[in-house]
Amino acid sequence: DYNLVSNPGAEINATGWTTKGSAAAPIRDTSQVKYGVASFKTVTTAAANDGAQFALSPSLPVGTYSIGFSAKISGTAFGSGALVAGLTNGAGDNNCTLSPATGATLPTTTGWTRFTCSVTIATTAATAFYIKQTEAVIHTIWFDGVEIDSGTTSLPYGLGSMSLNGVITSPTLFKNQSDSNQAFMVMNAASSAIFSVNTAESEVQ
């Protein structure tokens, strides 16, 4: 499988990303980074349905898709369930239920949170992916590592992959460039998390 979003992480530019509603157009920002060297940033107005969207080319046919992205905010926290994502088709916006649930503590201002969900497009092809708010509150949102895959399982996001078949015989240190709820993960072959280190909230799950 492969990522259906051709510009998922602002590594070079913000091409393909446009404003949704009255929000500021998404820009490439190097001040906040989850992966690589940059992320996307958008600032909403005090209007519901403000956010950012990405035109899908080619459009996605009828079916079920999994969505994943990482987000971080500045300033005012979101209300319960007030940050949503989904796909737009001829029937309008198709929101999916994010996991973990958004609210007063997620996304955070101190670290990145990885959100996932799945959405089924029942009629007409999907032409855009979006992240938006459902409340009339000004928010500053950074997002990075956007992933859309066919099916119900959200695959791990990465700028590439590697295979390490040797034995590590020295002390080993892993240090993320920013805190997140998925700072270190072990997954099974079906992409289900077995072990997870959350440096944003100092938890091991």
Side-chain angles (χ1 to χ4, degrees):
D1 209 345
Y2 64 95
N3 193 353
L4 298 172
V5 178
S6 58
N7 186 5
E11 295 308 308
I12 299 174
N13 52 42
T15 298
W17 288 92
T18 59
T19 183
K20 188 169 182 65
S22 304
I27 64 170
R28 179 179 185 267
D29 187 3
T30 58
S31 70
Q32 303 293 330
V33 180
K34 171 73 181 291
Y35 304 100
V37 297
S39 67
F40 299 105
K41 176 185 178 181
T42 188
V43 180
T44 70
T45 66
N49 298 314
D50 270 10
Q53 60 185 350
F54 182 81
L56 297 168
S57 181
S59 56
L60 304 183
V62 169
T64 299
Y65 298 91
S66 59
I67 291 171
F69 66 93
S70 294
K72 183 178 182 179
I73 64 171
S74 174
T76 306
F78 276 93
S80 178
L83 178 66
V84 299
L87 298 174
T88 301
N89 69 346
D93 287 353
N94 299 267
N95 295 344
C96 56
T97 303
L98 295 178
S99 177
T102 61
T105 60
L106 293 175
T108 71
T109 60
T110 57
W112 290 86
T113 303
R114 185 73 178 169
F115 295 99
T116 59
C117 63
S118 64
V119 59
T120 297
I121 301 300
T123 60
T124 69
T127 56
F129 163 76
Y130 61 85
I131 299 170
K132 70 177 185 179
Q133 62 185 26
T134 60
E135 60 185 4
V137 178
I138 296 174
H139 291 293
T140 298
I141 310 167
W142 289 272
F143 56 98
D144 200 356
V146 179
E147 176 92 17
I148 299 179
D149 301 287
S150 298
T152 58
T153 302
S154 181
L155 300 179
Y157 176 80
L159 301 177
S161 62
M162 61 176 290
S163 176
L164 179 63
N165 296 315
V167 177
I168 299 174
T169 59
S170 61
T172 305
L173 171 68
F174 295 92
K175 181 183 178 183
N176 280 224
Q177 56 189 346
S178 56
D179 288 323
S180 76
N181 67 333
Q182 292 185 349
F184 181 82
M185 295 189 72
V186 177
M187 292 183 164
N188 63 16
S191 297
S192 297
I194 304 300
F195 179 84
S196 177
V197 177
N198 179 344
T199 57
E201 301 172 90
S202 299
E203 294 180 350
V204 176
Q205 300 170 326

